[in-house]
Amino acid sequence: MTGFSRADRVGGLIQQLLAELLQRDISDPRLQMATITQVKVTKDLRRARIFFTSSGGREVAEQTAQGFRSATGFIKRHIGPRLGLRYMPELEFFYDESFDHGARIDQLLKSISSSDHGPDRTEH
C-alpha cells in the first residue's frame, strides 16, 4: 500500500502535464515565466487548486493568473484525456507566496548577520 491518496497522485500528474504543456504548447507571454509549484486535488477529484510562482512581483503574478484563467479551456482540453478520469477537475489558479516569504526571511537574516559584523562591534 502506498502512502499517497488517489487525489495526491492525480495532483502530481496534473502538475507534470501542465508543466509540459507550459514548455511546449502555450504561447501566452504572461505564462512564459510561470512555474507550477503544487497541485492540490480534492478527495472527490472535482477541483484542482494549482499554485504557481513567477518572477516580477505581485503585478506580474496577477497578470500570470489572468493568463492561466484565459487558458483554462485550452489546458483542460489538452490534459483531460491524459488523466484518465471520468470528469476533468475544475482548475483554480493561485499565486504561491511561499517563495516571496522565503526571500523576505532570507533578506532579514542577511541584514541581521551583516549588522552583527559591523565596524562598531567589539570582540571580547
Side-chain angles (χ1 to χ4, degrees):
M1 180 173 161
T2 65
F4 297 101
S5 68
R6 184 169 186 218
D8 292 338
R9 291 191 304 272
V10 169
L13 182 57
I14 290 173
Q15 183 173 356
Q16 175 189 349
L17 294 173
L18 185 53
E20 291 172 7
L21 193 65
L22 283 172
Q23 285 182 331
R24 289 186 279 161
D25 299 321
I26 293 181
S27 59
D28 189 329
R30 298 174 291 187
L31 303 180
Q32 287 180 346
M33 297 303 292
T35 301
I36 306 303
T37 58
Q38 184 176 22
V39 177
K40 292 183 180 180
V41 179
T42 58
K43 289 184 182 188
D44 64 0
L45 306 178
R46 295 294 185 150
R47 291 195 181 279
R49 295 175 61 112
I50 300 168
F51 295 89
F52 68 90
T53 188
S54 60
S55 59
R58 189 51 114 167
E59 184 177 313
V60 173
E62 183 53 39
Q63 291 173 359
T64 304
Q66 289 174 357
F68 275 121
R69 286 191 291 271
S70 69
T72 298
F74 177 83
I75 292 168
K76 289 173 79 170
R77 280 191 306 278
H78 281 76
I79 68 173
R82 295 180 65 191
L83 289 177
L85 300 174
R86 182 176 293 178
Y87 300 103
M88 175 66 193
E90 288 300 316
L91 305 179
E92 301 171 332
F93 295 93
F94 299 94
Y95 180 64
D96 188 348
E97 296 179 354
S98 63
F99 290 95
D100 293 342
H101 291 299
R104 177 73 178 131
I105 290 170
D106 189 48
Q107 181 183 31
L108 290 171
L109 290 173
K110 284 180 181 177
S111 70
I112 291 170
S113 177
S114 65
S115 67
D116 284 349
H117 300 305
D120 56 334
R121 182 176 176 195
T122 58
E123 296 286 328
H124 294 291

